[in-house]
Amino acid sequence: MCKNQAMPDVRQRSDSTDPLVGSPHRVAVLALDGVVGFDLGTPTQVLGSARDSSGRRLYDVRVCGPDGARRPVPSASGFTVLPDHGLEALAWAQTVVVAGVEGRRTAGPFPAAALAALRETAGRERTVSICTGAFVLAAAGLLDGRPATTHWLWAEKFRGLHPGVRLDPDVLFVDDGDVLTSAGVGAGVDLCLHLVRSDHGAAVANRTARRCVVPPWRAGGQSQYIERAVPAPAEASTAAARDWALSHLDEAVDLATLASRAHMSVRTFTRRFRDETGMSPARWLSQQRVDRARHLLETTDLPVDQVARHAGFGTTAALRAQMAAAVGVPPSAYRSTFRSAV
């Protein structure tokens, strides 16, 4: 069953040219007329910054236009992009990323040659869209019957144009295996870091995030539209309680304890926590514990029962259930996948 995945896709890969075992993974970023500059720069910067421990570049990222190399592509932001490559780069690439286009262009029509080239990518390793790039993938027929997301502002228009797509406008990104879509602007950064994490594990993704000076992790299922992301100056915040919880994940952490840390009633804390994070305290805590377990499984040789204790699940059975729900595999299989890929 397809679902939004907040954790990396941990299926084995056998391609001999995979970035995990050989030369840099080939990525083509498609810029169509009206391209959103931030969306275009995100994969080139994030994936282009990924390095292994020896400093080896892990992705070869190339920008391509719809009508051949060196044809100026007008952006949505008052400047023109001059791609070095044409649509032939899509056939060269292992991962294709479609950058978003300005809202007035989302209904198309999009260049027929570009849509045909995108359809040729079906069944390959990955096809990705950032923000309104989902409109392009949908127009190419790549999202029919599949879960996807786009910027919340354009969700109603998307549903009207592409009713056959299972749109979820309330998440940062959707990983459906070989097709991944993200919400707007900053969510593209989250999705690109998710790709790095899926390919190379937490250490490389965290190093890439530090290089780009961005947070290393926001789960895909997190709400993309939070009405009050930052509390008003006169309001108290739940940030200190969250910081405390992160340093005490191996302990029993309940809602009353968190509320007391923030000097709030449970009711006020719960409401403000959701305002600030887009999720309930229980869901947030569960995600942090799964993330801690995943990091320990990737980077240490701790037995699974100790990983469960360090992450706050207490028992191996509880960890196994949470890992299965989050990434679809038990802890031992998750660890084996990353260890065999290094």
Side-chain angles (χ1 to χ4, degrees), residues 62-137:
R62 302 182 183 182
V63 175
C64 64
D67 300 313
R70 297 292 174 179
R71 194 277 269 177
V73 175
S75 78
S77 306
F79 59 84
T80 299
V81 178
L82 196 62
D84 287 336
H85 305 276
L87 291 175
E88 72 282 351
L90 301 191
W92 161 87
Q94 293 165 285
T95 292
V96 170
V97 182
V98 179
V101 295
E102 60 183 321
R104 67 184 178 88
R105 296 179 185 262
T106 51
F110 302 110
L115 297 182
L118 284 171
R119 283 191 285 271
E120 291 295 319
T121 69
R124 270 199 265 151
E125 186 159 349
R126 281 188 304 232
T127 304
V128 179
S129 68
I130 296 178
C131 192
T132 51
F135 283 84
V136 183
L137 294 191

Side-chain angles (χ1 to χ4, degrees), residues 50-319:
R51 304 286 193 277
D52 65 13
S53 57
S54 66
R56 181 177 67 95
R57 186 184 297 272
L58 296 173
Y59 298 90
D60 182 355
V61 186
R62 302 182 183 182
V63 175
C64 64
D67 300 313
R70 297 292 174 179
R71 194 277 269 177
V73 175
S75 78
S77 306
F79 59 84
T80 299
V81 178
L82 196 62
D84 287 336
H85 305 276
L87 291 175
E88 72 282 351
L90 301 191
W92 161 87
Q94 293 165 285
T95 292
V96 170
V97 182
V98 179
V101 295
E102 60 183 321
R104 67 184 178 88
R105 296 179 185 262
T106 51
F110 302 110
L115 297 182
L118 284 171
R119 283 191 285 271
E120 291 295 319
T121 69
R124 270 199 265 151
E125 186 159 349
R126 281 188 304 232
T127 304
V128 179
S129 68
I130 296 178
C131 192
T132 51
F135 283 84
V136 183
L137 294 191
L142 299 185
L143 298 182
D144 291 347
R146 306 187 71 149
T149 193
T150 190
H151 195 297
W152 63 268
L153 186 62
W154 303 106
E156 184 175 352
K157 182 177 183 180
F158 187 97
R159 287 195 177 102
L161 290 170
H162 307 290
V165 180
R166 292 157 46 200
L167 185 71
D168 184 352
D170 296 324
V171 296
L172 295 178
F173 60 83
V174 172
D175 180 342
D176 194 36
D178 60 332
V179 176
L180 301 91
T181 53
S182 86
V185 195
V189 176
D190 299 304
L191 179 52
C192 288
L193 286 173
H194 172 75
L195 296 179
V196 177
R197 187 180 298 267
S198 298
D199 290 343
H200 299 283
V204 174
N206 291 345
R207 188 162 59 242
T208 302
R210 286 195 298 272
R211 190 182 184 102
C212 296
V213 199
V214 295
W217 181 256
R218 288 198 300 170
Q222 181 172 324
S223 174
Q224 63 166 285
Y225 180 56
I226 303 170
E227 292 189 8
R228 189 168 69 238
V230 180
E235 295 181 342
S237 169
T238 65
R242 280 181 273 129
D243 288 342
W244 179 87
L246 288 174
S247 63
H248 294 79
L249 289 178
D250 58 335
E251 303 175 12
V253 178
D254 58 30
L255 184 57
T257 300
L258 290 174
S260 67
R261 286 275 165 182
H263 306 291
M264 301 177 191
S265 69
V266 168
R267 181 177 179 180
T268 298
F269 178 84
T270 301
R271 174 177 55 80
R272 194 153 297 160
F273 194 100
R274 190 179 292 275
D275 286 343
E276 293 178 16
T277 69
M279 64 185 75
S280 69
R283 182 181 174 195
W284 178 88
L285 189 60
S286 178
Q287 285 192 355
Q288 304 312 310
R289 284 180 163 149
V290 170
D291 193 28
R292 173 70 59 81
R294 179 190 48 75
H295 179 77
L296 292 173
L297 289 167
E298 292 179 28
T299 61
T300 76
D301 294 314
L302 287 173
V304 173
D305 62 332
Q306 291 188 31
V307 171
R309 289 198 297 272
H310 281 294
F313 291 114
T315 67
T316 302
L319 171 61

Side-chain angles (χ1 to χ4, degrees), residues 10-54:
V10 297
R11 296 169 298 169
Q12 294 284 357
R13 300 182 181 181
S14 57
D15 188 342
S16 62
T17 59
D18 187 87
L20 301 174
V21 296
S23 58
H25 184 81
R26 302 186 300 273
V27 180
V29 184
L30 177 60
L32 299 179
D33 287 357
V35 65
V36 177
F38 193 100
D39 296 353
L40 178 62
T42 293
T44 58
Q45 180 64 38
V46 177
L47 300 180
S49 296
R51 304 286 193 277
D52 65 13
S53 57
S54 66

